[in-house]
Amino acid sequence: MRWLVTVWLIGTGLLAAPAWGQQASPAVQRGKAVFHATGGCGCHTDVKNKGPFMAGGRPIATPFGNVYATNITPDTETGIGSWSEQDFINAMTKGIGPDSKHYFPVFPYTSFTRMTRQDLLDLRAYLLSISPVRQANQPNTLRFPFGWRGGLSGWKWLYLRTGPLQPDAAQSAEWNRGAYLVNAQAHCGECHTPRNFMGGLKTSMRYAGAVEGPEGQLAPNITPDEATGIGDWTIADVVWYLQTGLKPDGDDTQGLMSEVIEHGYQHMPEADLRAMAVYLRSLEPIVNKVEPKDK
């Protein structure tokens, strides 16, 4: 069954396949691993409308209006094909495009800034290896004043702290690997942390879940609180969930998280998934039952 699904995904353009007979370079291979750790950059493919792989156009609903994901294929006119290495680094770590415009923080550069430069360059190498698609980016439909890019410099002063994540010498190598994956590459906090009225993360509630998560979906509490989080999950449970989307009670995940697992996490080495589980299980438990507002 899995090979049938894979064939279908490649045929519809939802998974990229190298040209016949081509061998990916080491940088591209490393970059593909980083790509999977990000959850497969799923926001950049309009899956619902069967859009081309990484060509953008997917509407991302926020409390402030819709932001449309951009084309990150190597097309030189509508994608990132003409970007320099530094252009890519600036976008990923500072939220600034080659045209010096600020990016809205729906693009999680506040987490990607914690990635190492080498991982960022490897990710760029992978993205430049996929098929270019000429597809213009759609304008965002954010309400005033949230669509005003000039205000983002002040927002970044408040909420953006640049620089790669530093390891904690008091913790194990596995814990540090998990912290890097969860906080930087996988950017889990961007979805599983509630935001304030300005769209900034409520750091005191980090990973405690959000009612208005990405695309308007609930993002559950993933701190190890036993009543409202994942406190009764074992490390093996977390690994299995990230591989299959199946919860310990047998229920399966839905929505955006299922895409993240399908196109990203299930392709990661089990050792990395275990490191993520070890880190998540070490967090401070926060009591926060995430339910729909009308419940």
Side-chain angles (χ1 to χ4, degrees):
M1 176 61 72
R2 177 167 291 188
W3 73 268
L4 286 174
V5 173
T6 302
V7 169
W8 178 81
L9 287 169
I10 292 174
T12 55
L14 297 182
L15 287 179
W20 183 261
Q22 285 189 351
Q23 179 65 39
S25 70
V28 170
Q29 293 178 33
R30 293 192 304 269
K32 190 172 184 178
V34 174
F35 175 82
H36 287 148
T38 69
C41 299
C43 292
H44 291 275
T45 301
D46 189 1
V47 176
K48 183 178 180 180
N49 295 306
K50 300 180 180 179
F53 183 68
M54 295 294 114
R58 180 172 184 158
I60 302 172
T62 78
F64 315 107
N66 283 349
V67 175
Y68 287 86
T70 56
N71 184 341
I72 56 171
T73 74
D75 180 67
T76 56
E77 291 189 17
T78 63
I80 63 171
S82 62
W83 289 21
S84 68
E85 288 186 354
Q86 194 57 49
D87 288 338
F88 188 80
I89 296 293
N90 288 341
M92 294 288 288
T93 63
K94 299 178 181 178
I96 298 176
D99 55 3
S100 298
K101 288 184 178 179
H102 292 288
Y103 289 136
F104 293 104
V106 172
F107 171 47
Y109 50 81
T110 48
S111 289
F112 291 152
T113 189
R114 300 178 178 185
M115 292 171 60
T116 66
R117 183 179 180 87
Q118 188 60 60
D119 279 348
L120 289 167
L121 292 178
D122 289 341
L123 177 60
R124 174 179 179 268
Y126 170 70
L127 291 174
L128 293 180
S129 76
I130 68 177
S131 298
V133 177
R134 183 154 299 184
Q135 178 168 286
N137 294 315
Q138 297 190 45
N140 302 315
T141 54
L142 293 168
R143 298 191 307 275
F144 181 82
F146 301 105
W148 181 51
R149 292 182 188 271
L152 287 172
S153 58
W155 188 94
K156 290 179 178 180
W157 183 81
L158 290 171
Y159 301 113
L160 175 63
R161 299 294 179 267
T162 59
L165 186 69
Q166 298 301 314
D168 185 342
Q171 298 289 348
S172 67
E174 182 178 50
W175 185 95
N176 276 293
R177 176 63 176 167
Y180 177 72
L181 290 167
V182 169
N183 290 303
Q185 291 187 354
H187 58 282
C188 304
E190 303 286 344
C191 297
H192 291 275
T193 303
R195 295 177 182 270
N196 60 27
F197 73 99
M198 293 182 64
L201 295 176
K202 296 181 179 179
T203 55
S204 63
M205 295 291 287
R206 187 172 291 275
Y207 300 111
V211 174
E212 293 181 318
E215 300 187 347
Q217 300 176 19
L218 295 177
N221 184 343
I222 56 172
T223 73
D225 178 65
E226 292 190 358
T228 63
I230 61 170
D232 59 349
W233 291 29
T234 66
I235 289 176
D237 288 337
V238 177
V239 171
W240 179 248
Y241 173 73
L242 295 175
Q243 290 174 325
T244 67
L246 294 175
K247 303 173 185 177
D249 61 5
D251 191 16
D252 63 337
T253 195
Q254 302 292 328
L256 186 59
M257 189 63 190
S258 65
E259 294 180 33
V260 169
I261 291 171
E262 180 180 357
H263 303 304
Y265 300 158
Q266 72 165 336
H267 303 287
M268 292 175 63
E270 186 169 326
D272 277 354
L273 297 179
R274 177 181 168 83
M276 292 173 70
V278 166
Y279 174 75
L280 290 172
R281 291 283 301 164
S282 77
L283 296 174
E284 185 72 23
I286 298 176
V287 179
N288 185 43
K289 190 172 184 179
V290 181
E291 295 181 324
K293 287 184 175 181
D294 57 356
K295 188 169 181 178

